[in-house]
């Protein structure tokens, strides 16, 4: 079973937009891996009150458990996603973009 971390842009998005994009990605991921996945909870609404760098730190802790890091949406325009991508690459995580 693969553990999946989803990286997605969140700035200026509502919780509903974030969750909808995430749910769409989960459907694609489950199809790609024949449901043989565990989706790590990388979106935690309680993080919204933290400073951005603290949110990134919490995300990296979660990403450390992942086998695959999936980037969705316009992730290249989000500095946190760009940093997560660089970390995933440097630490040998499998990277998938959808």
């Amino acid at each position: 079973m693969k553990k999946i971390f989803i990286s997605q842009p969140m700035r200026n998005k509502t919780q509903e937009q974030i969750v909808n994009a995430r749910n769409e990605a989960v459907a694609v991921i489950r199809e790609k891996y024949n449901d043989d996945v565990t989706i790590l909870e990388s979106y935690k609404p309680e993080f919204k009150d933290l400073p951005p760098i603290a949110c990134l730190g919490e995300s990296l802790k979660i990403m450390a458990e992942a086998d695959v890091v999936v980037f969705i949406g316009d992730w290249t325009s989000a500095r946190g996603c760009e940093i997560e991508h660089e970390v995933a690459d440097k630490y040998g995580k499998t990277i998938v973009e959808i």
Side-chain angles (χ1 to χ4, degrees):
M1 177 146 322
K2 299 244 185 239
K3 293 181 184 176
I4 309 291
F5 176 92
I6 298 173
S7 179
Q8 67 186 113
M10 295 185 197
R11 181 180 285 204
N12 298 324
K13 297 198 186 308
T14 65
Q15 182 173 351
E16 181 179 11
Q17 290 171 316
I18 293 166
V19 170
N20 287 343
R22 184 177 177 79
N23 288 340
E24 289 174 17
V26 168
V28 171
I29 292 164
R30 289 196 183 284
E31 185 174 319
K32 177 179 178 61
Y33 290 100
N34 299 315
D35 281 328
D36 193 27
V37 296
T38 297
I39 306 296
L40 300 175
E41 288 301 325
S42 56
Y43 173 61
K44 298 191 177 194
E46 62 267 24
F47 289 175
K48 72 179 171 66
D49 295 327
L50 296 175
I53 199 167
C55 290
L56 177 61
E58 294 298 326
S59 291
L60 293 175
K61 286 182 197 177
I62 297 165
M63 186 200 302
E65 300 175 34
D67 301 304
V68 178
V69 182
V70 177
F71 292 86
I72 67 171
D74 187 21
W75 68 268
T76 58
S77 68
R79 66 183 173 203
C81 293
E82 287 183 319
I83 293 167
E84 289 170 347
H85 191 277
E86 185 169 343
V87 170
D89 180 53
K90 298 281 185 195
Y91 283 86
K93 301 290 183 180
T94 299
I95 296 173
V96 175
E97 294 180 30
I98 58 172

